[in-house]
Amino acid sequence: MESNRLLFGSNSNSMFFLGNGDNYFRGTRMGFNMEEGSKKRPFLSSLDDMLEEEYYDEQMTEKKRRLSPEQVRMLERSFEEENKLEPERKTELAKKLGLQPRQVAVWFQNRRARWKTKTLERDYDRLKSSFDVLTSDFDSIVKENEKLKAQVLSLTEKLQSKDVPEISTIGDSTVKEAGDVPAPSGHVKLEDHFSSGSGGSAVVDDHDGPQLVDSGDSYFPDDDYPHEYVAPMDQSEEDDGSDNGQNDFPYPFATTDHHHHHEEADALGWWVWSQP
DNA sequence: CACTGTAGGATTGTTACTTCA
DNA sequence: TCTGAAGTAACAATCCTACAG
């Protein structure tokens, strides 16, 4: 145990510790010139120092610098309880372990620093894998979106090339929600299920790729309509009025982002969601 | 046996906070 | 009450050596 005290007070070249316990003053604070000492800090005390401190014996080797497993175990246990060290606890631990309070403080300091590093690494890994998942989700949804757009286009062309008698007129509200585009007269009109309540929305299954779950769902643009996919409003999504349902860029997370964000929150813990 | 990367104890400089004259 | 100096603790960065591979 005593061997752990090699550096403390034993090396006049290295550091000055005045006072007892952890109530020490570092040389710099006392106005001592530490330059010389810090340029070359001998890791171990000289033989003379060791003799002087009564630390030397036949078995004294440099190995003894490390804390013993038992000391580390107790320190770890203490750290688990509380990673900050109050003065009383420090003194008590030091006494129990046969260490200088300063050593205990340094140990806790290093332990905190290294714990923090580990935590940061873990957080990085988690964020990275979440990011990768989102990226791949995004890519597959974009692909599906392209596919669906092509499908819509070809179906529209088919419909327009046929001589289909006009069906019933869609309600105004439906048309508005689907993009606020009035159906020009003389064009084919189909019932729009997108925003007609419970049965309506096109559902994207983000596991097996987006699919139109309801076979009756369809969307078609007419000639006056920009040939961009307009994401239907999800039932659960509130329309704040800022978006008329038209997007220059089809946002592929329209029906899935809630789900993903919450998953992320679970995966990332409080950090993401506690951000203002 | 030399070399290299890593772990861990220790040091140094800085900052924030508290105390006291 | 305000203020500046000094004491103290925490932290980041770094040093330095032991040790394993």
Side-chain angles (χ1 to χ4, degrees), chain A residues 46-233:
Chain A
S46 69
L47 181 60
D48 281 348
D49 285 337
M50 286 159 68
L51 282 167
E52 193 180 311
E53 296 290 328
E54 298 178 311
Y55 291 147
Y56 181 79
D57 63 54
E58 288 297 315
Q59 291 175 326
M60 175 69 73
T61 65
E62 295 177 351
K63 283 178 195 171
K64 294 205 169 183
R65 184 173 155 266
R66 293 228 159 177
L67 304 182
S68 72
E70 182 55 29
Q71 284 172 323
V72 171
R73 212 172 10 249
M74 286 188 71
L75 286 164
E76 288 286 357
R77 209 180 306 152
S78 185
F79 184 84
E80 268 174 39
E81 282 171 23
E82 171 67 58
N83 72 350
K84 288 271 170 73
L85 198 58
E86 316 81 55
E88 309 83 54
R89 200 159 134 247
K90 189 194 323 182
T91 315
E92 194 183 322
L93 261 174
K95 215 177 264 178
K96 237 188 250 178
L97 298 172
L99 296 170
Q100 291 289 327
R102 170 66 180 165
Q103 278 178 293
V104 176
V106 166
W107 189 92
F108 266 74
Q109 201 154 304
N110 286 322
R111 188 70 179 75
R112 279 195 297 268
R114 279 149 194 166
W115 176 81
K116 190 179 173 185
T117 305
K118 273 208 177 88
T119 303
L120 284 172
E121 283 171 1
R122 256 207 319 272
D123 287 350
Y124 171 81
D125 287 344
R126 244 185 287 174
L127 284 168
K128 172 95 169 53
S129 64
S130 299
F131 174 79
D132 290 344
V133 167
L134 282 174
T135 303
S136 99
D137 278 1
F138 179 84
D139 288 345
S140 64
I141 289 169
V142 165
K143 269 184 205 149
E144 279 302 319
N145 188 35
E146 291 298 321
K147 223 192 281 178
L148 288 170
K149 276 203 292 185
Q151 208 179 332
V152 165
L153 202 61
S154 85
L155 287 172
T156 304
E157 279 165 4
K158 271 184 200 164
L159 278 170
Q160 284 177 344
S161 68
K162 278 184 187 172
D163 188 16
V164 182
E166 196 168 290
I167 314 174
S168 65
T169 310
I170 315 171
D172 282 352
S173 63
T174 306
V175 174
K176 272 181 187 152
E177 285 188 49
D180 213 6
V181 179
S185 60
H187 282 244
V188 176
K189 290 172 184 174
L190 290 176
E191 197 172 350
D192 182 357
H193 292 280
F194 283 150
S195 46
S196 58
S198 59
S201 298
V203 176
V204 175
D205 181 341
D206 61 348
H207 292 297
D208 299 316
Q211 291 170 354
L212 289 173
V213 171
D214 182 349
S215 61
D217 277 340
S218 68
Y219 172 81
F220 68 93
D222 56 41
D223 289 344
D224 298 322
Y225 206 81
H227 281 206
E228 277 293 347
Y229 174 70
V230 178
M233 186 74 73

